[in-house]
Amino acid sequence: MQNFSIDGFLKELEEIVNIDSGSYISGGVAKVAHVMEEKYKSLGLNVIRHDFSSEAGPCLEVRTHPGEDIDVLLVGHMDTVFPEGTVKDRPFSIKGDSAYGPGVMDMKSGLLSIFYIVKSLLEKNSKLKICVAMNNDEEIHSLSSKDWLTELAKISKYAFVMEPGRKGGELVNSRKGVASYIVKIKGRAAHAGVAPQDGINAVHEISLWISELMKLNNYDIGTSLSVGIVKGGTATNVVPDYAECHIDTRFVHMSENKKIEDTLERLKNTPFLEGIQAEIIYDGKRPPMALDEKAKNLMKIVEKAGEETGFQVKWVSTGGGSDANFISYMGCPVLDGIGPTGDRAHSSDEVMVISSVEPKIKLSIRTLEILEEMLY
């Protein structure tokens, strides 16, 4: 890489980490987008701005070559999970080989890495038709941007998502599907001592739902269902007329997701207690990122690049979702976790390993050079 400086990288990283850009902080996401837009414009590239959601800030699309088709799609997200004011409490900092701050690994270092990958390839007059897609709402299931990402995936030969590498340096070759639901139960209130028979207990109903849903866990085939939040009731002497629960599910096979959703619909249509009304809110879904033959072939190319650059490539499957799930489902071979190594994402101790930055960028550049040799 010409003129790459880790000190310069960290200075640029500090600028974007020190912007509060939680998924619903549209102004903060817009500030990050502005910084990244100016960087790509400095390379002489056209940046297309997409405003899919007024609540989540803009998305950016950068093309190295105009046209309908894409050789390589590089994906990163500008939003974080952290609320307004987090930067004031714990701004970007460095201690030894570790960089800290909200979103430092997930995934602002990945965003900046993509820029340097593209910059290096342009300096080498690469023929690859590269598209960089930076979205605004990955941390909330890419609700407004997933259609855009899937359309890009349909016209892309290969894709890489620059989410952080695992703490052991592993890259991600498959992910479980993920779907979230909110169940709202409406019953009828009554005095628990004077006329309990006049009430319809919503808490009782939702407890029966939970017992039924937990039967769907099948860890042997990778299906898990967790009820993480339960709310209901106002006082001990009142039969509760309202209850709700929030459900997280993970699955390897879409048939398992269908089984879960069929069960939810059955419970809604045939509740346990007479008079109950139920509402199911579908709160976001990502299909599985499958490890198919096309992905395995792409893994071999990354492994070859690792041998040539001195990077020991290791792979891992994970239960967490990313935008790679949507891309994979469109049939585009995609690998993930290509960004700098880190740990403790979504926590106050989120950390990025500084010494992992340059080797990961070099690995990505060589991988894309091999793809260029194959395609051209």
Side-chain angles (χ1 to χ4, degrees), residues 10-293:
L10 292 173
K11 185 176 181 180
E12 294 172 75
L13 181 59
E14 179 177 11
E15 179 183 11
I16 56 176
V17 169
N18 282 345
I19 299 172
D20 284 318
S21 60
S23 303
Y24 293 108
I25 307 174
S26 59
V29 173
K31 289 179 181 178
V32 174
H34 175 74
V35 173
M36 298 310 300
E37 182 175 3
E38 291 303 308
K39 288 184 180 299
Y40 283 101
K41 283 183 175 178
S42 74
L43 301 180
L45 298 176
N46 182 46
V47 181
I48 303 170
R49 188 185 183 99
H50 298 289
D51 292 303
F52 299 121
S53 168
S54 60
E55 296 181 349
C59 296
L60 300 180
E61 180 178 335
V62 184
R63 300 281 194 115
T64 60
H65 297 74
E68 293 298 322
D69 61 326
I70 298 167
D71 292 327
V72 178
L73 177 64
L74 301 176
V75 179
H77 63 87
M78 298 178 286
D79 63 322
T80 74
V81 299
F82 301 103
E84 187 86 57
T86 305
V87 167
K88 182 179 179 181
D89 293 337
R90 48 182 188 88
F92 181 85
S93 64
I94 294 174
K95 185 177 180 180
D97 192 34
S98 300
Y100 299 89
V104 66
M105 64 165 283
D106 187 17
M107 60 166 295
K108 291 181 177 179
S109 57
L111 283 179
L112 199 54
S113 295
I114 294 173
F115 169 76
Y116 276 99
I117 292 164
V118 173
K119 182 175 184 291
S120 177
L121 290 168
L122 289 178
E123 289 170 347
K124 298 175 182 180
N125 297 313
S126 172
K127 297 178 181 178
L128 276 180
K129 299 173 184 176
I130 299 172
C131 175
V132 179
M134 291 170 274
N135 64 332
N136 55 3
D137 57 355
E138 190 273 347
E139 297 292 3
I140 52 173
H141 296 287
S142 302
L143 295 175
S144 69
S145 62
K146 65 181 178 181
D147 290 345
W148 166 62
L149 291 174
T150 54
E151 288 303 312
L152 292 176
K154 289 178 183 178
I155 57 173
S156 298
K157 295 182 177 72
Y158 303 97
F160 297 91
V161 177
M162 299 298 288
E163 290 279 2
R166 308 298 98 167
K167 65 179 180 180
E170 301 92 345
L171 284 62
V172 176
N173 58 12
S174 61
R175 290 179 180 270
K176 288 185 179 182
V178 54
S180 302
Y181 310 92
I182 300 172
V183 174
K184 296 185 176 183
I185 301 293
K186 185 177 180 182
R188 185 168 63 234
H191 194 295
V194 176
Q197 69 279 1
D198 293 338
I200 305 175
N201 194 315
V203 170
H204 183 192
E205 176 71 21
I206 210 162
S207 69
L208 296 171
W209 279 54
I210 293 170
S211 295
E212 190 73 8
L213 290 167
M214 295 304 288
K215 296 176 184 177
L216 298 174
N217 278 299
N218 189 336
Y219 303 135
D220 291 340
I221 63 171
T223 302
S224 62
L225 183 150
S226 173
V227 179
I229 299 173
V230 181
K231 302 176 183 178
T234 57
T236 57
N237 62 348
V238 178
V239 175
D241 66 349
Y242 179 80
E244 69 177 60
C245 69
H246 297 230
I247 304 166
D248 176 276
T249 67
R250 310 284 165 142
F251 45 90
V252 175
H253 308 289
M254 285 301 292
S255 59
E256 287 292 290
N257 172 248
K258 184 178 186 303
K259 186 186 297 183
I260 291 167
E261 294 190 350
D262 286 349
T263 300
L264 286 167
E265 288 297 322
R266 173 175 61 79
L267 292 172
K268 174 185 174 181
N269 294 328
T270 57
F272 292 93
L273 305 179
E274 186 176 350
I276 285 288
Q277 294 180 314
E279 177 187 6
I280 301 169
I281 298 173
Y282 293 80
D283 198 33
K285 181 193 294 186
R286 285 189 172 101
M289 171 188 167
L291 181 56
D292 57 18
E293 286 304 313

Side-chain angles (χ1 to χ4, degrees), residues 159-167 169-176 289-291 295 298-299 302 311 313-322 324-325 333-339 360 363:
F160 297 91
V161 177
M162 299 298 288
E163 290 279 2
R166 308 298 98 167
K167 65 179 180 180
E170 301 92 345
L171 284 62
V172 176
N173 58 12
S174 61
R175 290 179 180 270
K176 288 185 179 182
M289 171 188 167
L291 181 56
L298 187 55
M299 285 171 58
V302 175
F311 186 94
V313 176
K314 297 177 288 185
W315 301 100
V316 68
S317 177
T318 179
S322 83
N325 294 59
V334 57
L335 296 174
D336 201 348
I338 316 294
K360 278 293 192 72
L363 173 69

